[in-house]
Amino acid sequence: MKLYQILLFCLLSSGFLFAQDSQTTNETQTTSPEVSAEEQTLSAVKKLIGFIRYKKNDKAIALIHVGKFSEKLIGDHKISAAERKEFEEAISEYIVNKAFPIALKYFDKIDITYDKPAVNGKQARIGSSILYKGSDQIKFAWILSESEGAWYISDFETEGKLATEINRTKNIEPSIKKNGIKGTISLIQKAAKN
């Protein structure tokens, strides 16, 4: 099974790609001077997977930077601050209701192998792989961004392509052209509830 098909688990369903940016004060990570950036990034990814496995969606969602993710999905489209907030909220709802349950199916009882994080300033990439169904090795990467002293998952790479790029060009841009931003938000909200 191709990585693209399997690992869009938390990013693509019903034709849309979503992530969550929830920076609650009690869930925000803090940077510690004694812990390296590499350790912090890997910790963020492992926590995300653990929270998904134990259905702690509020904690899992707090580790995803929806603001950066949404910005990449919207691309060059000019939208108001209110529309941006509504878009991010729709994505948040979608990820909790649709993406995390799909992710749980794939990561529940599968061990993930992580490469050494590659940190470049406020960006990081962690190559990973899983052995799916005992024989298919699937490779992918977590893309993280540092914001206010903490690391958040801000994208996902599969087969050398960013999930936001794939979904922006195949799903979000065509929807915005056809339905406008309000219509696209409405479709995301509807998909999150079904």
Side-chain angles (χ1 to χ4, degrees):
M1 192 177 260
K2 286 188 169 187
L3 171 67
Y4 178 77
Q5 296 168 325
I6 293 175
L7 295 176
L8 289 181
F9 66 92
C10 72
L11 303 176
L12 180 61
S13 179
S14 303
F16 287 101
L17 171 69
F18 309 105
Q20 168 62 29
D21 180 27
S22 173
Q23 293 186 5
T24 57
T25 55
N26 62 342
E27 298 301 332
T28 302
Q29 309 163 46
T30 57
T31 304
S32 172
E34 17 342 293
V35 180
S36 72
E38 290 83 3
E39 291 170 318
Q40 291 172 39
T41 58
L42 190 55
S43 175
V45 170
K46 288 180 176 182
K47 284 179 185 178
L48 175 70
I49 298 303
F51 290 147
I52 290 171
R53 283 180 173 163
Y54 290 101
K55 300 178 183 176
K56 295 183 178 187
N57 293 342
D58 57 333
K59 291 182 179 187
I61 212 72
L63 296 171
I64 300 174
H65 199 299
V66 157
K68 289 189 185 292
F69 200 84
S70 295
E71 189 177 296
K72 292 176 187 178
L73 286 175
I74 293 167
D76 295 334
H77 294 279
K78 304 295 180 213
I79 65 173
S80 70
E83 291 169 330
R84 183 173 304 278
K85 184 176 188 231
E86 193 176 356
F87 185 82
E88 290 177 13
E89 288 171 356
I91 287 174
S92 298
E93 182 180 2
Y94 183 89
I95 251 215
V96 168
N97 294 334
K98 295 293 184 177
F100 284 168
I102 293 168
L104 179 62
K105 289 180 188 178
Y106 291 106
F107 288 152
D108 188 31
K109 293 181 173 63
I110 295 175
D111 290 329
I112 302 172
T113 302
Y114 301 98
D115 296 341
K116 182 179 183 207
V119 178
N120 186 4
K122 293 187 174 217
Q123 301 293 315
R125 181 183 183 280
I126 301 175
S128 303
S129 64
I130 60 172
L131 198 58
Y132 186 72
K133 294 196 175 190
S135 61
D136 293 331
Q137 184 175 17
I138 300 166
K139 294 185 177 201
F140 54 97
W142 308 91
I143 308 300
L144 294 91
S145 299
E146 188 270 330
S147 178
E148 299 179 12
W151 288 93
Y152 299 92
I153 290 80
S154 59
D155 213 332
F156 190 80
E157 181 184 301
T158 178
E159 297 181 358
K161 296 180 182 175
L162 295 175
T164 52
E165 184 180 311
I166 294 166
N167 284 281
R168 183 185 71 248
T169 59
K170 289 187 177 183
N171 300 308
I172 301 298
E173 284 180 355
S175 179
I176 290 174
K177 286 178 184 174
K178 181 179 179 182
N179 307 303
I181 190 65
K182 288 286 190 187
T184 300
I185 291 167
S186 179
L187 289 171
I188 294 167
Q189 291 168 332
K190 183 178 178 182
K193 290 181 170 86
N194 291 330

